């Protein structure tokens, strides 16, 4: 059992199918403030860093064959007006997304993927590299199968180097590859599902009842390949081509006992107008409001995050954030959509654990440019937090890291995941060279940063594409793939915003698999650690002192922690908190009821 320090003394010191549109750009501070992160010294592997309430405990550079120092320092082209001189970096070897299976971390790369053993102590032991060029190499894992997204024209069906020539070729591969790694020393490609626009990202969706069936929602952002290369593919707007490969996603069905037979089974028109049926029924491109961002048309999704236990998915789809009903995963249907003048490109989405909120990230500038500079609007290139209400998605607030970054660092919001702190909505997120940031959006109207890690630019004089592609929580640690530098491991440290018990409670949650864009409902075990976490939250809100129950609760939790719980006393305290919750405001009442429930279960 995890030992817990009593922290009280420390702390004493059926939705409607309606579109929702925000018509005015968000008001607020025009720019972010300067802080310790702003002027960190540069360096490839020796840059200065700044950490707040988080500690880096491990790091590993990219394995041989996945790092090209000549590409990092290649002379850049002339910059665009108003832009810093920018080196393209080693984009063809860029590290991308992560997936986890037990103690193994799978790190995607434009050149294939790598696997590391990561027991949680910060060590990272490289055990496998699969060279298979084709970008962008987002990965997922399910049992002994690894799934890899590829979209570039250079991708070859046989994973070979050298690229593919010609407009049409039987050698070209763009889509989702499936590898069998049951023999980790002899992995093999067992399927390669070709798609019309390749695969930029993908999401695994288990069948609700058949454990032998796995679906893949394929999100493709590239151009449409010709029908001469892949039958059934054609480009164009639906007004001239009703069969266009635009304005849909691919749904691939995988029979787990025969993955080599994986195939597309549906291309649902999830952007269709509900009344007219026109397949291009969402945002047509341009500005939502004067003074806002310009957004491309919604003809694809970048990411689709599924929450199968809630029968929901949240799509970040170029010009819109959308909400889907996936109770029939082969035939998803749109519930609601959101557009916003501050969003340039709806990129990714994350639910809170109760599926009452969605955090959408905006990849303004495609992640390639400096977008956290002093003169960049703080409302652009960040996150939107929306509540899921009976009226559909409703925007509550916008968040961007509160730190000016230099023009030598690409910086916008990117991929992240929930940190399982009971009773709170906390997320860690990669911001490219803006570092990683931990935010609390429990109050969806007032999100705030509670921890961060950042390091200086690669180079003082030019922008080199780098930074954290993502940041994910898995079994008690934060893992963050750095585009150039490799893979980092972090642990949270206690602070005024996050107590030792809250961190311990999050670390108690262990899962066998963590995949990007696939959320599972978190259920915490009955433990004094969990109860202490709730008690700390009441103490932080200055509610324990008012109730006069703190000392008694601390005493009884200590007895429970020591294996000597007094069930009657715990039940009595639970009843007291339940009674106090009747007259408390909603936020405090919820914490009291959570604590009461934890105490009452201990007394049963």
């Amino acid at each position: 059992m995890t030992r817990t320090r009593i922290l009280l003394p420390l702390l004493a010191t059926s939705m409607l199918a309606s579109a929702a549109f925000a018509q005015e750009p968000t008001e607020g501070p025009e720019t972010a403030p300067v802080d310790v992160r702003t002027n960190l010294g540069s360096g490839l592997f020796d840059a200065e860093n700044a950490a707040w309430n988080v500690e880096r405990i491990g790091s590993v550079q990219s394995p041989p064959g996945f790092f090209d120092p000549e590409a990092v320092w290649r002379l850049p082209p002339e910059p665009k007006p108003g832009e810093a001189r920018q080196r393209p970096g080693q984009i063809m070897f860029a590290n991308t997304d992560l997936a986890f299976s037990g103690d193994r971390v799978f790190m995607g790369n434009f050149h294939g993927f790598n696997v590391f053993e990561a027991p949680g102590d910060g060590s990272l032991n490289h055990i496998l590299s699969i060279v298979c060029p084709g970008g962008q190499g987002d990965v997922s894992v399910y049992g002994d199968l690894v799934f890899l997204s590829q979209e570039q024209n250079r991708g070859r069906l046989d994973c070979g180097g050298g690229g593919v020539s010609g407009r049409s070729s039987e050698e070209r591969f763009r889509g989702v590859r499936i590898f069998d790694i049951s023999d980790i020393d002899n992995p093999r490609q067992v399927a390669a599902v070709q798609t019309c626009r390749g695969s930029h990202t993908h999401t695994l969706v288990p069948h609700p009842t058949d454990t032998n069936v796995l679906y893949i929602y394929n999100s493709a952002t590239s151009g449409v390949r010709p029908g001469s290369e892949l039958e059934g593919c054609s480009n164009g707007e639906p007004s001239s081509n009703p069969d266009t490969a635009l304005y849909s996603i691919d749904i691939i069905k995988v029979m787990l006992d025969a993955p080599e037979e994986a195939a597309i089974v549906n291309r649902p028109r999830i952007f269709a107008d509900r009344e007219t049926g026109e397949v291009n029924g969402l945002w047509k491109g341009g500005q939502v409001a004067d003074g806002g961002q310009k957004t491309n048309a919604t003809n694809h999704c970048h990411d689709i995050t599924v929450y199968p236990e809630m029968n929901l998915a949240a799509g970040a789809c170029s010009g819109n954030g959308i909400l889907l009903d996936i109770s029939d995963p082969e035939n998803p249907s749109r519930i609601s959509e959101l557009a916003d003048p501050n969003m340039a490109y709806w990129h990714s989405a994350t639910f809170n654990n109760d599926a009452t909120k969605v955090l959408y990230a905006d990849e303004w500038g495609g992640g390639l440019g400096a977008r956290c500079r002093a003169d960049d609007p703080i409302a652009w290139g960040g996150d939107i937090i929306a509540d899921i209400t009976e009226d559909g998605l409703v925007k509550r607030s916008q968040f961007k890291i509160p730190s000016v970054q230099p023009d030598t660092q690409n910086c916008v919001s990117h991929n992240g995941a929930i940190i399982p702190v009971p009773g709170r909505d906390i997320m860690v997120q990669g911001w490219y060279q803006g570092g990683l940031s931990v935010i609390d959006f429990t109050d969806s109207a007032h999100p705030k940063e509670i921890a961060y890690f950042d390091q200086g630019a690669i180079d003082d004089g030019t922008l080199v594409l780098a930074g954290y592609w993502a940041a994910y929580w898995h079994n008690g640690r934060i893992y963050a793939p750095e585009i150039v530098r490799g893979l980092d491991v972090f642990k949270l440290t206690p602070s005024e915003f996050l107590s030792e018990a809250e961190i311990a409670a999050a670390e108690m949650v262990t899962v066998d698999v963590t995949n990007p864009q696939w959320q599972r409902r978190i259920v915490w075990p009955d433990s004094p650690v969990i109860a202490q976490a709730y008690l700390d939250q009441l103490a932080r809100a200055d509610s324990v002192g008012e109730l006069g129950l703190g000392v008694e609760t601390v005493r009884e939790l200590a007895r429970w922690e020591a294996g000597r719980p007094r069930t009657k006393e715990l039940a009595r305290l639970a009843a007291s908190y339940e009674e106090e919750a009747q007259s408390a405001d909603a936020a405090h009442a919820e914490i009291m009821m959570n604590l009461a429930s934890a105490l009452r279960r201990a007394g049963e």
Side-chain angles (χ1 to χ4, degrees):
M1 179 180 291
T2 304
R3 292 192 60 79
T4 307
R5 198 181 82 191
I6 303 301
L7 284 181
L8 189 61
L10 173 65
L11 289 174
T13 57
S14 117
M15 290 170 262
L16 297 181
S18 62
F21 292 87
Q23 294 297 331
E24 298 294 336
T26 298
E27 295 181 357
E30 294 184 355
T31 61
V34 172
D35 70 2
V36 68
R37 290 172 278 186
T38 303
N39 296 307
L40 294 170
S42 64
L44 180 55
F45 296 114
D46 57 352
E48 291 182 347
N49 65 71
W52 182 54
N53 302 333
V54 67
E55 177 186 355
R56 183 164 62 178
I57 60 172
S59 186
V60 65
Q61 295 180 15
S62 299
F66 289 82
F67 177 69
D68 181 359
E70 292 186 4
V72 172
W73 303 114
R74 189 169 294 142
L75 290 175
E78 289 296 321
K80 297 178 181 178
E83 296 281 355
R85 200 166 180 83
Q86 179 173 344
R87 297 178 189 269
Q90 57 155 22
I91 184 66
M92 294 303 177
F93 298 92
N95 296 314
T96 57
D97 225 345
L98 299 182
F100 306 83
S101 178
D103 288 344
R104 290 178 176 171
V105 182
F106 297 74
M107 182 165 69
N109 187 287
F110 274 63
H111 204 58
F113 68 91
N114 290 285
V115 185
F116 303 86
E117 292 282 5
D121 59 359
S123 62
L124 292 162
N125 178 35
H126 174 246
I127 59 171
L128 175 67
S129 287
I130 294 291
V131 174
C132 189
Q136 67 176 14
D138 279 11
V139 289
S140 294
V141 59
Y142 195 94
D144 291 327
L145 300 178
V146 174
F147 304 84
L148 183 71
S149 283
Q150 295 200 315
E151 62 181 351
Q152 295 179 326
N153 279 327
R154 64 172 175 145
R156 294 180 56 86
L157 190 59
D158 60 5
C159 280
V164 181
S165 61
R167 185 166 181 265
S168 298
S169 173
E170 294 180 351
E171 297 177 334
R172 179 171 289 124
F173 177 76
R174 296 173 60 196
V176 179
R177 299 183 190 268
I178 305 176
F179 294 89
D180 183 336
I181 60 164
S182 54
D183 182 353
I184 195 70
D185 295 322
N186 296 286
R188 59 192 179 92
Q189 180 175 269
V190 295
V193 183
Q194 300 268 16
T195 66
C196 290
R197 302 179 71 180
S199 179
H200 194 67
T201 71
H202 67 265
T203 306
L204 302 186
V205 189
H207 191 283
T209 58
D210 190 342
T211 57
N212 190 44
V213 175
L214 182 70
Y215 292 103
I216 303 171
Y217 286 1
N218 180 50
S219 298
T221 63
S222 298
V224 179
R225 64 206 302 184
S228 57
E229 183 170 86
L230 185 63
E231 184 178 358
C233 297
S234 62
N235 202 355
E237 291 300 308
S239 57
S240 58
N241 177 17
D243 297 323
T244 179
L246 305 177
Y247 301 99
S248 62
I249 62 171
D250 304 306
I251 297 182
I252 299 167
K253 187 175 184 178
V254 183
M255 305 300 292
L256 294 174
D257 60 357
E260 67 278 5
E261 298 175 3
I264 295 174
V265 294
N266 195 11
R267 293 193 180 100
R269 298 294 197 182
I270 59 175
F271 312 125
D273 186 286
R274 292 188 184 86
E275 295 182 0
T276 66
E278 294 177 354
V279 300
N280 57 341
L282 293 182
W283 189 245
K284 304 296 193 297
Q287 289 180 306
V288 174
D290 291 341
Q293 295 265 33
K294 290 183 178 178
T295 304
N296 291 332
T298 300
N299 64 24
H300 65 270
C301 288
H302 186 281
D303 280 2
I304 299 175
T305 296
V306 298
Y307 201 158
E309 291 149 295
M310 300 294 186
N311 290 325
L312 290 174
C317 306
S318 186
N320 292 97
I322 67 174
L323 189 66
L324 299 170
D325 178 346
I326 59 167
S327 53
D328 178 0
E330 202 165 307
N331 297 283
S333 61
R334 196 174 79 251
I335 298 169
S336 181
E337 59 272 354
L338 194 64
D340 190 273
N342 292 316
M343 298 289 274
Y345 185 70
W346 295 73
H347 175 275
S348 50
T350 304
F351 289 99
N352 68 336
N353 192 50
D354 293 334
T356 56
K357 306 166 191 167
V358 185
L359 183 149
Y360 290 99
D362 173 21
E363 196 185 43
W364 175 28
L368 303 176
R371 295 291 185 270
C372 301
R373 299 163 296 188
D375 57 351
D376 289 325
I378 198 167
W380 291 9
D383 303 321
I384 274 185
I385 292 97
D387 285 349
I388 301 174
T389 74
E390 292 184 351
D391 294 324
L393 294 165
V394 177
K395 176 184 174 181
R396 295 302 187 201
S397 63
Q398 197 129 5
F399 172 83
K400 188 173 184 178
I401 56 170
S403 172
V404 167
Q405 300 283 291
D407 60 5
T408 52
Q409 293 190 299
N410 51 310
C411 174
V412 288
S413 60
H414 211 229
N415 297 348
I418 292 296
I419 296 176
V421 176
R424 299 176 68 184
D425 299 324
I426 293 176
M427 176 178 171
V428 61
Q429 186 177 18
W431 289 73
Y432 290 112
Q433 291 201 71
L436 69 80
S437 177
V438 179
I439 65 169
D440 180 351
F441 65 107
T442 308
D443 180 352
S444 54
H446 301 93
K448 61 183 179 182
E449 185 176 58
I450 60 173
Y452 64 71
F453 179 88
D454 192 15
Q455 49 194 335
I458 299 287
D459 182 69
D460 270 339
T462 58
L463 190 159
V464 179
L465 179 64
Y468 291 124
W469 187 276
Y472 294 120
W473 178 271
H474 177 71
N475 291 350
R477 296 291 180 263
I478 295 168
Y479 295 85
E482 218 281 354
I483 290 174
V484 175
R485 293 162 168 139
L487 177 62
D488 290 339
V489 190
F490 299 87
K491 69 175 183 181
L492 292 170
T493 57
S495 69
E496 62 181 307
F497 304 107
L498 205 56
S499 71
E500 185 174 343
E502 288 175 302
I503 295 172
E507 292 176 344
M508 292 179 73
V509 177
T510 58
V511 295
D512 53 351
V513 174
T514 299
N515 279 310
Q517 300 159 214
W518 175 12
Q519 289 189 232
R520 292 190 289 185
R521 184 168 177 78
I522 300 160
V523 178
W524 290 267
D526 292 332
S527 163
V529 176
I530 307 301
Q532 181 66 51
Y534 291 131
L535 185 62
D536 291 346
Q537 291 164 21
L538 284 179
R540 187 179 295 114
D542 292 330
S543 292
V544 172
E546 296 176 7
L547 298 178
L549 299 172
V551 174
E552 287 183 86
T553 309
V554 168
R555 183 185 64 224
E556 295 306 321
L557 290 182
R559 294 181 66 90
W560 184 7
E561 175 72 19
R564 298 179 286 106
R566 298 200 297 183
T567 56
K568 289 185 178 179
E569 288 302 306
L570 290 168
R572 181 183 62 78
L573 284 169
S576 297
Y577 284 110
E578 288 166 348
E579 182 179 353
E580 293 294 339
Q582 301 304 312
S583 57
D585 62 60
H588 291 166
E590 183 175 356
I591 302 173
M592 292 175 191
M593 292 304 293
N594 286 335
L595 175 56
S597 180
L599 297 174
R600 194 172 288 285
R601 288 196 299 272
E604 292 175 348

